[in-house]
Amino acid sequence: MVSLTLEGVGTRYGRKQVLADVTTPTITAGTMTAVIGPNAAGKSSLFRRIAGMASGPGEVHIEGVPSGEQALAYLPQDTNATAVLTVFESVVLAAKQGRSLKVSEEELRDIDSLLAALRITELASRYLSELSGGQRQLVGIAQSLIRRPHILLMDEPTSALDLHRQMEVLGLVRSLADERQMIVMIALHDLNHALGYCDHALVIANGRMHRFGSCNDTIDQHLLREVYRVDGHVELNSLNRPQVVLNAPIY
Amino acid sequence: MSAEGVAVNDVSPIASASQDYRASVGRRVLILVGLAVAVLISFAVDLATGPYNYPVTDVIATLFSPENADTKMRVILWEIRMPVALMALTVGASLSVAGAQMQTILANPLASPFTLGISAAAGFGAALALVFGVALVPFVSAFVIPLNAFVMAMLAAGVIYFFSRMRGVTVETIVLLGIALVFTFNALQALLQYLASEQALSAVVFWTMGSLVKATWTKVAVTAAVLAATVPLFIRQAWSLTALRLGDAKAESLGVNVKRLRLTTLILVSLLAAIPVSFVGSIGFIGLVGPHIARMLVGEDQRFFMPASILCGALLLSATSVLSKLLIPGAILPIGVATALVGVPFFFSLIFSSRRRNSW
């Protein structure tokens, strides 16, 4: 079983330390951790550090990944690409990185079923420059899932999606985490999504870890007040699920 | 909440997307074959044209069975026209693939050895050797001119690379920097011309116009060798180079060592751009337009884009070589002049006829 443990992890850009002291208990396979916190708190920096794309103090322990398999995939925040590539080509590209030039029938079938699962088969022949922001996010998600990683880091993957797509994508990621026993860390702004789909919450504020725990214990009125500077509370809604109710910003 | 997930093996009834992909791969292979055939035809016509025009069929017969051919025709074809025609192919291919990779690593549609001053720098390096006999690489007496050209090209490429990595530097800044480099090296070259002896001056002027007529078998061999040495290195990086076009963050997240890839590509590009410039002078248009035509035809998957760029560059320069002999009967126009005169209208027609989505 794959596991991920962070021990005093921080991130440095040049001499500037932008994140410090992120320590978690062992995060186990098949779980989803919401990484939450205000804008510019250091969520992307944490992901880049875990993915090995930034340096800094502390240790990232990844254990139990069978040799030859993809340990980790990182989906950065959405960027606009001008490449003259179709959606299908861009997913092939992600699948084949570091591998042979020839694309096998099996790889093509894998991409077919992934695009179908994300319900973007009809986008396959479109050029990347023709896509809307939300469509680009779906393609990005396909690019990271096709590598069959054991750990998936997603930086605000639903920020440009409509409500239906948000639920669809989060539902898919949740079921993949369960089926493939994948560890998912996902940066989210919508705390109700964190409550609805994630097991744990890792709260980052002002470049430090504020809290780590189960979503139900972590997301409460204190968090809203201290970290988000918002007056509100969490209550059970008519579907008997916890829901964040917001009142007003605190100045 | 238990999420009602979408099963991964739930294939929709819509025709599978990979069928379109397979078809597009087949189409692109056909385009590459078509380009290769066009290159061969242009090469044969290039051999056939000159002060005396031979029928293409006779040319092909002479190539395949030289022992049966007329001696004069054999000498003209093999000794005089062949090196020039081959030089057109190798130089065109080198400049075009250099331009393609510069556009890729700098994420800039205006990048080419010519527009970013790398050709001008190489020309200046060559002129240094011609006018003052200065060798920038000590202890190597052979190939002083191409080595000088390479060192200066690397220097210019290094400056471009250094600035392109600075924070806040945009695509437009890099183009402006390139234009500044072009002016700088042109001014330095003008200074050399001013100081040069009459004999050296004519040699330097030859560089500024670009000409294939001084091609020799040795020059063809060196250019072809550089091309043959660099292209396999690019092919090995085909997926990484393509990923670079998704943006640095995405490429990095896919495991590409972006910094190292940029640096090695830039060194190879400098070599590819410098060697032709040192042999045939400054030929501007191919490195910019060759890749754009290739991109419109096959897209940016480097497995197709790279060979298409090579073929488009070879075809463009070879066809221009033919036209440079036909435009003014009895005279051979300098190839650098002809490329722009012929290439620009052709390029315009492509830009306006192609749908915007498959060009930059």
Side-chain angles (χ1 to χ4, degrees), chain B residues 29-106:
Chain B
V29 170
L30 273 182
I31 290 174
L32 289 183
V33 171
L35 280 173
V37 170
V39 168
L40 286 177
I41 292 172
S42 174
F43 176 64
V45 174
D46 195 10
L47 286 176
T49 21
Y52 185 85
N53 293 330
Y54 295 107
V56 175
T57 45
D58 289 6
V59 171
I60 294 168
T62 311
L63 289 185
F64 286 103
S65 50
E67 63 281 1
N68 300 330
D70 169 44
T71 321
K72 189 177 150 213
M73 184 175 172
R74 195 174 63 217
V75 170
I76 288 179
L77 282 190
W78 281 97
E79 303 299 323
I80 300 172
R81 292 191 190 170
M82 186 68 93
V84 175
L86 285 176
M87 201 67 184
L89 295 186
T90 49
V91 168
S94 301
L95 290 177
S96 183
V97 77
Q101 301 310 15
M102 284 189 83
Q103 290 170 10
T104 302
I105 60 171
L106 296 173

Side-chain angles (χ1 to χ4, degrees), chain A residues 84 89 100 105 112 143, chain B residues 18 20 22 28 239 250 300:
Chain A
V84 184
E89 282 178 308
S100 68
E105 281 300 309
D112 268 338
Q143 286 173 327
Chain B
S18 59
D20 278 357
R22 279 190 205 91
R28 282 179 286 185
W239 292 123
K250 195 47 142 315
E300 282 192 285

Side-chain angles (χ1 to χ4, degrees), chain A residues 52 84 174 244 251:
Chain A
V84 184
R174 176 76 247 185
V244 174
Y251 294 102

Side-chain angles (χ1 to χ4, degrees), chain A:
Chain A
M1 284 301 222
V2 177
S3 67
L4 169 71
T5 317
L6 305 180
E7 215 179 291
V9 166
T11 308
R12 228 182 271 122
Y13 289 120
R15 282 185 199 159
K16 198 176 166 207
Q17 178 113 5
V18 291
L19 179 70
D21 299 334
V22 179
T23 299
T24 64
T26 299
I27 300 173
T28 53
T31 59
M32 274 179 83
T33 302
V35 178
I36 55 179
N39 289 333
K43 300 188 291 291
S44 300
S45 301
L46 175 65
F47 283 153
R48 288 179 58 83
R49 173 73 175 83
I50 298 173
M53 288 162 57
S55 58
E59 296 286 333
V60 176
H61 299 287
I62 297 173
E63 272 154 29
V65 178
S67 70
E69 291 186 22
Q70 181 85 24
L72 185 147
Y74 164 51
L75 173 62
Q77 268 179 46
D78 175 47
T79 47
N80 201 350
T82 54
V84 184
L85 293 168
T86 63
V87 166
F88 200 93
E89 282 178 308
S90 74
V91 181
V92 169
L93 180 61
K96 295 300 294 181
Q97 213 51 241
R99 305 202 175 118
S100 68
L101 291 184
K102 196 169 160 32
V103 186
S104 73
E105 281 300 309
E106 193 190 342
E107 286 164 328
L108 290 179
R109 274 197 301 274
D110 277 355
I111 296 171
D112 268 338
S113 44
L114 180 61
L115 295 187
L118 284 165
R119 309 216 180 279
I120 53 172
T121 301
E122 72 279 11
L123 294 181
S125 300
R126 298 264 286 275
Y127 284 93
L128 294 180
S129 55
E130 298 175 307
L131 303 180
S132 69
Q135 289 169 330
R136 277 203 305 274
Q137 280 189 328
L138 291 167
V139 174
I141 291 167
Q143 286 173 327
S144 39
L145 286 177
I146 197 64
R147 297 172 70 76
R148 292 190 158 270
H150 287 279
I151 299 171
L152 179 59
L153 311 174
M154 309 177 96
D155 202 347
E156 296 182 23
T158 55
S159 59
L161 300 180
D162 61 46
L163 279 176
H164 180 87
R165 284 293 203 181
Q166 288 179 24
M167 295 188 71
E168 200 170 65
V169 165
L170 289 169
L172 174 72
V173 173
R174 176 76 247 185
S175 63
L176 284 170
D178 295 339
E179 280 170 33
R180 295 185 186 175
Q181 286 297 292
M182 199 163 60
I183 293 175
V184 178
M185 289 185 88
I186 183 168
L188 291 171
H189 272 306
D190 189 332
L191 297 179
N192 284 321
H193 282 331
L195 285 168
Y197 295 93
C198 299
D199 307 288
H200 313 291
L202 198 171
V203 186
I204 308 247
N206 298 321
R208 290 187 178 271
M209 188 174 106
H210 185 267
R211 239 190 279 180
F212 182 92
S214 78
C215 282
N216 288 338
D217 292 344
T218 311
I219 299 171
D220 56 17
Q221 57 184 359
H222 303 295
L223 178 87
L224 293 174
R225 179 168 284 276
E226 290 161 22
V227 173
Y228 286 95
R229 295 188 299 133
V230 166
D231 180 40
H233 63 276
V234 180
E235 64 182 24
L236 281 182
N237 64 15
S238 58
L239 297 171
N240 212 21
R241 293 171 187 162
Q243 184 179 339
V244 174
V245 177
L246 301 175
N247 179 23
I250 301 168
Y251 294 102

